[in-house]
Amino acid sequence: MNKPELLIPAGSLENLEVAVLYGADAVYIGGQHFGLRAKAKNFSMEQMKEGIEFAHKHNVKVYVTANIIAHNDDIDKVYEYFEEIKEIKPDALIIADPGILTIAQEMLPDMEIHLSTQANNTNYKSVNFWHKLGVKRVVVARELSFKEIKQIKENSPDTLDIEAFVHGAMCISYSGRCLLSNYMAGRDANKGECTHPCRWQYHLVEETRPNEYMPVYENERGTYVYNSKDLCMLEYVPELIDAGVGSFKIEGRMKTQLYVATVTRTYRKAIDDYFEDESKYRNNIPYYLDEIKKCTHRKFTTGFYFKRPDENEQIYNSNTYIRSYTFIGKVIEYNSEEQIVTIQQRNKFCVGDQVELMATDGENYVTTIKEMWDEEGNLVESAPHPKQVIRFKTHKEFPKNTIIRLKSKEF
């Protein structure tokens, strides 16, 4: 039984470095064109090159998204884009559109191709069709159950890899191919510009009473009628492996470094614990679930894996995330002689706050900040300025890019 790949999203170079540090086997990134997260920071070609070199130095693979559904005026630009991709040598391209696949095979004949979930693959005949066209891996549609994924694996050649989403935001439209954003906001979700109108609050207006807004209720709890819970499969690592999923894909290229560190470290530990000793994995499930809730999340669901989702998989009274912890900074360097850590601040914290430094092995180092200094060595009571350099004492050494978080006061 092979250990599955842990595939982590990286919406920026910083996030890529965090994913690598916390245990990713591979990361997927987008350039500034042709990916489905146009509002993420994304990578310039130079940043992409730097990120790939950094990841490869740590034996981590990098997959580049080119998974828009292309229109005619995209084609020439795709040729230009792939000409640049040739030079930076990612490990695979993630593609949904047959036209873009054709261009990739023409220009990058040795490049591994992964078929995006946008291609809506829900059966083994479809999967085998793409494999015969040169696709090495298929990201199966999110609408599949364990049973269906297992049937695909059993009816496909061993040379085909199966990748499936195991964590993150769910889309209300079929495998994410949605027209709602384009219709309502003029921004095409199939070209990476989704405005998430599925999570907006809706009211009903009667034609002759244009200023009278009546709530739209699916039940008494609220009006967010398309607002899905987040997928979380931490409790079902054995079932995913048994179904033949060879790559565990995490959603979230627009998420923070705290999110990337938390999901990477937690799923890394869950997978490793299971392969070390299944009873250890089972006993640690409460720990995994507690940890995964320390980054932004909605209530959790198992999606389509066990059954078709019903009204209980939606959140009706809010479209906001639960934020029990705040990302306050990351380590720049550690002075072991003075036992002082230097960090780059990301959100405000103060003397007296109890902060957690997230060790890569799964442990949390909790310390109360008794005093701290700014970059010039002045004692300060708080760190309110974005990206401010701050120093304080710790009795444990932490590597560069270690994430530091602070429990929100309401939790």
Side-chain angles (χ1 to χ4, degrees):
M1 181 169 57
N2 294 324
K3 188 180 285 192
E5 174 187 84
L6 178 58
L7 177 56
I8 301 297
S12 67
L13 184 57
E14 288 181 316
N15 284 26
L16 181 149
E17 291 171 349
V18 169
V20 170
L21 174 68
Y22 281 94
D25 294 310
V27 295
Y28 63 102
I29 66 176
Q32 294 175 337
H33 308 284
F34 311 119
L36 283 181
R37 289 294 180 269
K39 290 190 288 184
K41 291 179 182 177
N42 289 320
F43 288 68
S44 67
M45 203 54 64
E46 190 57 42
Q47 288 171 328
M48 207 181 286
K49 183 175 184 291
E50 184 179 344
I52 290 169
E53 289 174 353
F54 178 85
H56 286 176
K57 194 180 296 183
H58 293 83
N59 298 313
V60 173
K61 294 181 177 180
V62 179
Y63 311 141
V64 173
T65 59
N67 57 339
I68 66 163
I69 306 302
H71 289 243
N72 289 329
D73 59 4
D74 294 313
I75 298 301
D76 288 343
K77 298 170 190 171
V78 172
Y79 275 102
E80 294 171 11
Y81 184 57
F82 284 172
E83 193 64 49
E84 294 181 289
I85 290 289
K86 275 184 185 179
E87 305 301 319
I88 61 171
K89 298 180 173 57
D91 297 280
L93 289 173
I94 303 171
I95 290 172
D97 186 284
I100 293 181
L101 171 62
T102 303
I103 297 169
Q105 291 175 326
E106 176 188 331
M107 298 191 65
L108 302 143
D110 298 323
M111 179 66 64
E112 190 169 297
I113 304 295
H114 297 175
L115 195 70
S116 171
T117 189
Q118 290 285 108
N120 314 129
N121 279 274
T122 57
N123 65 79
Y124 61 84
K125 283 289 189 182
S126 173
V127 165
N128 288 327
F129 166 82
W130 287 107
H131 188 47
K132 287 174 183 176
L133 290 179
V135 168
K136 176 68 170 67
R137 176 185 296 186
V138 171
V139 188
V140 293
R142 300 194 200 196
E143 294 79 22
L144 297 186
S145 65
F146 280 129
K147 180 181 177 182
E148 290 173 302
I149 295 173
K150 191 167 188 177
Q151 288 172 334
I152 288 173
K153 185 64 178 174
E154 289 172 347
N155 288 278
S156 303
D158 292 338
T159 49
L160 176 78
D161 299 333
I162 300 294
E163 180 181 309
F165 281 95
V166 301
H167 192 91
M170 297 284 284
C171 185
I172 57 93
S173 189
Y174 201 70
S175 288
R177 291 181 69 158
C178 184
L179 296 176
L180 200 57
S181 177
N182 207 350
Y183 177 75
M184 299 184 72
R187 299 184 65 168
D188 191 347
N190 299 309
K191 298 184 81 171
E193 298 180 341
C194 185
T195 55
H196 304 287
C198 55
R199 300 193 187 277
W200 298 350
Q201 187 170 23
Y202 289 90
H203 290 78
L204 183 67
V205 178
E206 198 277 324
E207 184 177 10
T208 64
R209 299 175 177 84
N211 295 315
E212 295 181 25
Y213 299 98
M214 295 168 279
V216 179
Y217 292 110
E218 285 209 354
N219 64 18
E220 72 280 4
R221 290 178 289 178
T223 63
Y224 297 92
V225 292
Y226 301 130
N227 191 25
S228 173
K229 294 178 180 178
D230 281 356
L231 182 65
C232 179
M233 297 300 291
L234 273 167
E235 297 175 80
Y236 306 104
V237 168
E239 289 85 348
L240 288 162
I241 293 168
D242 180 66
V245 178
S247 179
F248 288 13
K249 188 169 193 171
I250 308 292
E251 181 278 336
R253 277 200 289 133
M254 294 176 66
K255 300 292 179 67
T256 67
Q257 291 174 65
L258 174 59
Y259 175 91
V260 170
T262 303
V263 294
T264 306
R265 188 179 73 162
T266 308
Y267 275 88
R268 175 80 279 148
K269 184 164 176 56
I271 294 167
D272 291 349
D273 286 351
Y274 175 71
F275 275 81
E276 179 184 333
D277 179 359
E278 185 171 352
S279 62
K280 179 180 181 181
Y281 163 76
R282 301 283 181 194
N283 292 334
N284 276 339
I285 284 175
Y287 162 81
Y288 309 142
L289 295 176
D290 182 60
E291 281 298 304
I292 208 71
K293 292 173 183 174
K294 292 182 179 180
C295 61
T296 53
H297 66 281
R298 301 179 182 91
K299 294 176 183 177
F300 291 129
T301 176
T302 54
F304 290 79
Y305 280 108
F306 290 99
K307 62 182 180 62
R308 291 189 177 278
D310 56 24
E311 68 277 3
N312 295 311
E313 311 309 312
Q314 300 291 105
I315 304 169
Y316 297 95
N317 57 0
S318 170
N319 70 341
T320 58
Y321 284 103
I322 300 167
R323 291 179 171 85
S324 57
Y325 278 73
T326 302
F327 170 40
I328 63 164
K330 65 178 185 178
V331 172
I332 299 174
E333 63 180 9
Y334 184 79
N335 184 320
S336 54
E337 196 172 302
E338 297 181 354
Q339 295 186 319
I340 289 178
V341 65
T342 302
I343 76 163
Q344 185 186 72
Q345 176 263 26
R346 291 305 172 94
N347 283 289
K348 183 180 178 180
F349 63 98
C350 304
V351 169
D353 283 340
Q354 190 177 72
V355 301
E356 284 187 13
L357 290 96
M358 297 173 59
T360 55
D361 62 3
E363 293 297 315
N364 298 316
Y365 179 79
V366 181
T367 185
T368 300
I369 299 177
K370 295 179 180 177
E371 55 184 0
M372 59 186 185
W373 301 267
D374 65 16
E375 199 167 5
E376 284 74 40
N378 302 309
L379 278 168
V380 292
E381 290 296 313
S382 66
H385 307 300
K387 297 194 176 182
Q388 188 174 3
V389 173
I390 293 291
R391 298 184 175 95
F392 58 85
K393 280 190 174 291
T394 67
H395 299 295
K396 181 177 170 65
E397 185 170 354
F398 292 91
K400 184 180 178 181
N401 288 322
T402 297
I403 297 298
I404 309 164
R405 63 192 180 192
L406 174 67
K407 190 171 185 178
S408 301
K409 292 182 170 51
E410 61 265 32
F411 286 88

